[in-house]
Amino acid sequence: MPGPPAPPPAPSGGWKDPDAGRMRMLPLLLRRARVVLLRAGPASPGKACLCHRARDGRSEEEEGLCQLYPGHIPSSPLQKALLAAGSALMALYDPYRHDMVAVLGETTGCLALPNLRDKMKNHPEGYRILQERPRIRLSTLDMDRLQGLPEGSLGREYVRFLEDNKVSPNTRMPPKFVDDEELAYVIQRYREVHDLMHTLLGMPTNMLGEVVVKWFEAIQTGLPMCVLGAAFGPIRLSAQKLQVLATELVPWAIRSGRNSSCFLNIYYEQRWEQPLQSLREEMGIFPPPAVRV
């Protein structure tokens, strides 16, 4: 079974993808799941894909067998449950297994993703995002331009976050198990703006910072994957960090998550020049606590 396509080459300016090598191999669970799905054959019509009757006259059964987007793997509710259980165990064992976190988000987001899509459709900026479907990748970002923006701007602080934490936007896996093409884009967009959430919230990519961001995202999205990350992520923290998390960071993340407008309704690509603090105030994100994370 061939692996996923290699990331696009780094653009001029010397920007490299530090995680490119790791992302070239499919994880063991995904490879096994793919084999199980291929051996089992297509799932039952109406279960494998949440497709409606085809507009071009094909039968509902024929439409149910279709691949909805590149890389899509149709799966039944039982197969999704097995994938969710396996990916949850792997993600708890190693929270930095972003591939397992991605599978967990796709296989458990059947209720939250439509709600997020509706929020975007009912917001002028979110609706434009759904229509135009921008992507945040090294191939779509002008890194030299972002690095040259004024200090404190969203674009400059986003690049600073990527550099300081040695992360790349190219590490976000494409969706595979979401049985709706539009919802697949919603979860893809969520993944690609995750680093922007770190930037807006002022949180690094260490375990404490990831847990804080997960609390904010759990309040904002209702995705079970975010809720699990927020609930079980702290088990690896020291007693001192747990105290800071419980007394300072979680209350702030919850208040900000409730007060803030939906972060998927911000067209970040058109706001790179906007001061970071101005965008925080516009969204309703409270100033972060003055604690070391």
Side-chain angles (χ1 to χ4, degrees), residues 41-201:
S44 302
K47 293 182 180 179
C49 303
L50 300 180
C51 298
H52 300 293
R53 187 173 299 275
R55 295 191 181 123
D56 59 2
R58 288 180 296 172
S59 68
E60 185 173 345
E61 181 174 357
E62 290 171 330
E63 181 72 3
L65 304 181
C66 67
Q67 187 182 50
L68 299 178
Y69 49 86
H72 174 232
I73 303 177
S75 54
S76 70
L78 176 59
Q79 290 164 335
K80 280 185 172 61
L82 293 174
L83 284 167
S87 58
L89 290 174
M90 287 300 299
L92 288 173
Y93 177 75
D94 182 1
Y96 289 102
R97 284 293 300 270
H98 302 299
D99 47 0
M100 295 293 96
V101 174
V103 174
L104 180 61
E106 293 175 32
T107 53
T108 60
C110 58
L111 297 179
L113 288 176
N115 289 335
L116 289 173
R117 188 252 327 267
D118 292 345
K119 286 183 180 180
M120 296 178 73
K121 282 188 171 181
N122 293 325
H123 186 276
E125 202 164 339
Y127 182 75
R128 279 202 302 120
I129 294 170
L130 279 179
Q131 294 300 304
E132 299 176 12
R133 300 198 177 185
R135 297 292 306 276
I136 299 179
R137 309 277 294 172
L138 289 179
S139 59
T140 65
L141 296 174
D142 186 344
M143 301 302 296
D144 291 335
R145 172 176 170 268
L146 296 183
Q147 287 174 327
L149 290 176
E151 294 290 325
S153 64
L154 174 65
R156 182 66 190 92
E157 296 308 313
Y158 173 61
V159 172
R160 192 191 311 279
F161 168 84
L162 296 177
E163 292 172 340
D164 290 348
N165 293 278
K166 297 179 172 60
V167 295
S168 164
N170 277 15
T171 58
R172 302 302 171 188
M173 290 184 62
K176 298 178 183 295
F177 300 105
V178 178
D179 294 331
D180 183 285
E181 188 265 345
E182 190 173 45
L183 297 182
Y185 175 75
V186 172
I187 199 165
Q188 182 75 56
R189 182 67 174 176
Y190 158 75
R191 290 172 184 168
E192 293 184 356
V193 303
H194 176 75
D195 289 336
L196 282 159
M197 290 304 96
H198 277 273
T199 306
L200 281 164
L201 297 173

Side-chain angles (χ1 to χ4, degrees), residues 178-240:
V178 178
D179 294 331
D180 183 285
E181 188 265 345
E182 190 173 45
L183 297 182
Y185 175 75
V186 172
I187 199 165
Q188 182 75 56
R189 182 67 174 176
Y190 158 75
R191 290 172 184 168
E192 293 184 356
V193 303
H194 176 75
D195 289 336
L196 282 159
M197 290 304 96
H198 277 273
T199 306
L200 281 164
L201 297 173
M203 292 293 130
T205 57
N206 59 25
M207 185 56 62
L208 182 56
E210 289 289 354
V211 170
V212 174
V213 173
K214 279 291 177 284
W215 273 100
F216 178 86
E217 292 177 343
I219 296 297
Q220 282 265 304
T221 68
L223 285 167
M225 173 266 296
C226 296
V227 175
L228 289 173
F232 292 99
I235 62 177
R236 294 174 178 266
L237 298 176
S238 65
Q240 182 179 5

